[in-house]
Amino acid sequence: MNAITFTGVSKSYDTVRAVETLDLEIGAGQAVALLGPNGAGKSTSIGMLLGLVRPSGGTVTVFGDSPDAAVRAGKVGAMLQDGSLVAGVTVREVVEFVRGLYPEPMPLDEVLSLANLTSLARRRADQLSGGQAQRVRFAIAIAGAPRLLVLDEPTAAMDVESRRSFWASMREYAAGGRTILFATHYMEEADENADRIIVMARGRIVADGTAQVIKAAAGGRTVRFTIGEQPTVGLDTLPGVTGVELRGGTAQLRTTDPDATVQALYASGIQVRDLEVKGADLEDAFLSLTGDNQN
Ligand SMILES: Nc1ncnc2c1ncn2[C@@H]1O[C@H](COP(=O)(O)OP(=O)(O)OP(=O)(O)O)[C@@H](O)[C@H]1O
Ligand SMILES: [Mg+2]
């Protein structure tokens, strides 16, 4: 049985089409990353999956049930982008409270240790740093030992060390055959922690596959230089070039073969200044992946 199924799911907020006819199946035991720029529809999709947002059309099921039923049965744990923590109680009390809501919770010590909170257990949950509070949100998400763990940008506000230990815990949690879905903006996080990456942009899935497949689709390099007032004819026919953008005296070439492009560029007689070669950034890649779908 699939952990998650979206069938023709859409969501509009007044005039904003946040999610457009989403079809998606996630098998039990997979760790899946949801990648995409701001406003892509990641949180909206996660909201529908948790029964917090009602779809405008289509059906979402979680382990074959409605999201509400799956959540009520304790099959789902979630870490949301903007959950605030209860005031006046300790970390330990928060975790104990959440454990009490689930039929077969994880032992308290295990939750605290996985979330790296053992030494903060007696601290007040509303008096923690941003990164520490994120760890408490993670503890809340796993306290019930849910079969499906949904995390919306879990490492936002975490420092490098916290991130590392967070992902190690997440992988440990996933290892028992559990299903994980997490939203992120970071390609490396998706690459290192997911079996499958789904890229969303403008409410649609624009790529879906292993990290290798996605990176190839999002691949390519950018060659940038100052071109000034010189004629720009022929830039698009340089070897490897798949796109040319000119803005304020700067030329930006997308290329599949930066070495060949740069060599030909110098040979072309154009006076090249401030040359820069870099990997296409993800935002660019998302836009190129959405291609003609944009309006
Ligand atoms: N409650 C709401 N009311 C109106 N519009 C909304 C609401 N929530 C989201 N939207 C709009 O829906 C679209 C998708 O938003 P969503 O929060 O799902 O994106 P996201 O991929 O999670 O982005 P981010 O990376 O910034 O978290 C955006 O255009 C957003 O402005
Ligand atoms: Mg979001």
Side-chain angles (χ1 to χ4, degrees):
M1 190 202 300
N2 283 330
I4 299 169
T5 311
F6 278 66
T7 313
V9 174
S10 62
K11 177 65 191 179
S12 298
Y13 295 104
D14 295 325
T15 55
V16 180
R17 294 188 59 84
V19 170
E20 309 251 10
T21 347
L22 201 62
D23 287 300
L24 178 62
E25 292 186 17
I26 294 178
Q30 286 189 349
V32 178
L34 201 52
L35 202 62
N38 291 139
K42 303 182 299 293
S43 295
T44 303
S45 303
I46 285 175
M48 292 192 283
L49 174 64
L50 298 172
L52 300 172
V53 174
R54 267 173 65 92
S56 309
T59 321
V60 182
T61 62
V62 179
F63 298 113
D65 253 331
S66 72
D68 287 355
V71 169
R72 267 201 309 274
K75 293 177 182 166
V76 188
M79 182 170 170
L80 297 179
Q81 216 169 354
D82 54 3
S84 61
L85 295 169
V86 202
V89 296
T90 65
V91 168
R92 186 197 173 92
E93 285 163 344
V94 172
V95 174
E96 277 292 26
F97 173 76
V98 177
R99 287 180 67 251
L101 302 175
Y102 285 83
E104 291 171 61
M106 189 183 290
L108 177 67
D109 290 349
E110 208 176 310
V111 179
L112 293 174
S113 138
L114 260 180
N116 199 6
L117 286 171
T118 309
S119 62
L120 294 175
R122 288 167 200 280
R123 292 275 296 275
R124 272 181 55 172
D126 57 344
Q127 295 177 348
L128 299 172
S129 74
Q132 292 167 342
Q134 281 293 79
R135 274 142 60 189
V136 176
R137 289 189 193 100
F138 180 59
I140 290 170
I142 60 173
R147 293 163 65 185
L148 170 63
L149 187 58
V150 181
L151 312 162
D152 198 351
E153 298 188 31
T155 60
M158 284 187 195
D159 63 24
V160 176
E161 183 47 38
S162 301
R163 264 168 211 246
R164 212 190 328 265
S165 86
F166 168 82
W167 287 115
S169 299
M170 209 283 298
R171 284 194 300 270
E172 195 179 325
Y173 189 81
R178 292 170 172 128
T179 311
I180 316 278
L181 177 69
F182 65 92
T184 180
H185 288 128
Y186 305 110
M187 188 66 185
E188 312 92 76
E189 286 197 340
D191 189 1
E192 287 165 16
N193 303 294
D195 312 315
R196 173 179 172 195
I197 300 176
I198 295 168
V199 184
M200 285 188 80
R202 295 167 186 253
R204 298 170 195 270
I205 293 177
V206 296
D208 182 351
T210 60
Q212 221 177 349
V213 167
I214 302 299
K215 280 197 285 195
R221 292 271 189 285
T222 310
V223 173
R224 254 171 93 124
F225 60 98
T226 304
I227 190 161
E229 301 292 309
Q230 303 172 79
T232 57
V233 206
L235 287 179
D236 55 345
T237 61
L238 294 175
V241 171
T242 55
V244 175
E245 208 177 296
L246 299 161
R247 201 178 297 153
T250 299
Q252 181 161 306
L253 315 180
R254 275 181 72 82
T255 173
T256 54
D257 187 349
D259 296 331
T261 303
V262 169
Q263 241 166 23
L265 184 62
Y266 279 110
S268 71
I270 292 176
Q271 287 223 318
V272 178
R273 283 189 295 121
D274 309 325
L275 183 85
E276 239 178 81
V277 179
K278 58 182 185 84
D281 69 31
L282 264 183
E283 203 80 2
D284 284 351
F286 294 142
L287 296 176
S288 81
L289 283 168
T290 39
D292 303 341
N293 293 339
Q294 295 177 38
N295 45 38

